[in-house]
Amino acid sequence: MIEDFFTKIVWLQALGTTFGVVQVLLARKNIIHNYLFGIASILIGLYVLYQSKLYADILLSLYYLVMSIYGWFFWKFGRQKEETPISYASKLEYVKAIGIVIGCFSLMSYWLRFYTNSDVPFWDAWVSAFAWAGMWLMAKRKMENWIFLNISNIISIPLLIYKDLYVYAALTVFLFIVGTSGYFKWRKIVKTKQAQLAA
């Protein structure tokens, strides 16, 4: 029975990973439907994370779910009822992103340490803190989302290995690679549009 349970977890990781790969590849290409695959991946991941007692990641996934829905509408309609273009974060948005990191880490680490049975409260909190800020920036279609998400990925890889979530660890390595590529891809898109406007 235990073997069946772990087989189920591995298969769910694989399915969630597949949706996650499709999501990040579509995001890299600046395709709005990336959010649909992301939502499917999040829903599967919630169950797996609960079984692994990664509670901060569960809250992060719920936040991802909300921000994915918000991001889909914001990308599609923006504030002017038209598609929102890629842009660099303003100084104020950068400050807000750093604020999200600090605030999220403080709250998450306190909650995980004193109110859960997590054995990695600070580690888990850092992963979530940078990911929360990165997802917020992605929903606003800001270039810097890739930077914050990749910091989260770097911290997350050894944590997932420690928790024996090897499929998710492999996915996170892949996400780091695509995140790096995505940054340069988006930068190219921005430069191309700037050149078109200047012409």
Side-chain angles (χ1 to χ4, degrees):
M1 181 152 180
I2 294 176
E3 184 178 345
D4 291 340
F5 172 76
F6 283 109
T7 299
K8 181 180 179 181
I9 291 294
V10 170
W11 274 107
L12 284 173
Q13 285 185 69
L15 182 60
T17 296
T18 300
F19 285 125
V21 167
V22 174
Q23 188 269 332
V24 76
L25 288 175
L26 291 178
R28 178 185 176 276
K29 292 185 176 181
N30 197 32
I31 297 174
I32 191 172
H33 298 300
N34 77 84
Y35 282 110
L36 301 178
F37 290 93
I39 289 170
S41 179
I42 290 164
L43 294 175
I44 293 169
L46 283 169
Y47 177 80
V48 175
L49 292 170
Y50 178 76
Q51 298 301 323
S52 300
K53 299 179 181 179
L54 289 173
Y55 303 116
D57 280 4
I58 290 171
L59 288 179
L60 175 62
S61 292
L62 291 172
Y63 170 73
Y64 273 1
L65 186 61
V66 172
M67 291 305 290
S68 291
I69 295 169
Y70 168 79
W72 188 85
F73 281 102
F74 191 83
W75 277 37
K76 188 169 182 66
F77 302 111
R79 288 182 178 152
Q80 290 77 39
K81 304 301 181 184
E82 61 185 25
E83 189 172 300
T84 303
I86 298 170
S87 62
Y88 286 90
S90 65
K91 288 184 180 179
L92 179 58
E93 287 168 330
Y94 236 118
V95 169
K96 285 181 179 179
I98 296 297
I100 290 172
V101 171
I102 295 170
C104 180
F105 174 77
S106 300
L107 292 172
M108 284 286 186
S109 58
Y110 179 82
W111 174 66
L112 290 170
R113 187 178 178 191
F114 296 107
Y115 294 98
T116 75
N117 60 350
S118 173
D119 59 338
V120 286
F122 299 112
W123 202 350
D124 199 8
W126 276 123
V127 171
S128 295
F130 280 100
W132 276 62
M135 192 64 180
W136 177 73
L137 288 166
M138 176 172 273
K140 290 186 168 293
R141 226 169 194 166
K142 299 298 178 180
M143 282 284 300
E144 291 79 5
N145 87 85
W146 299 109
I147 297 172
F148 281 80
L149 289 175
N150 260 358
I151 293 173
S152 176
N153 288 334
I154 290 171
I155 301 170
S156 180
I157 293 166
L159 174 60
L160 292 169
I161 292 172
Y162 174 75
K163 286 292 185 176
D164 297 325
L165 296 175
Y166 301 113
V167 177
Y168 276 6
L171 170 63
T172 306
V173 171
F174 174 78
L175 292 177
F176 176 82
I177 294 169
V178 175
T180 303
S181 174
Y183 178 86
F184 291 106
K185 175 75 173 178
W186 278 31
R187 189 172 72 171
K188 184 178 180 181
I189 292 171
V190 170
K191 286 184 177 181
T192 299
K193 288 193 175 182
Q194 288 175 343
Q196 289 172 348
L197 291 172

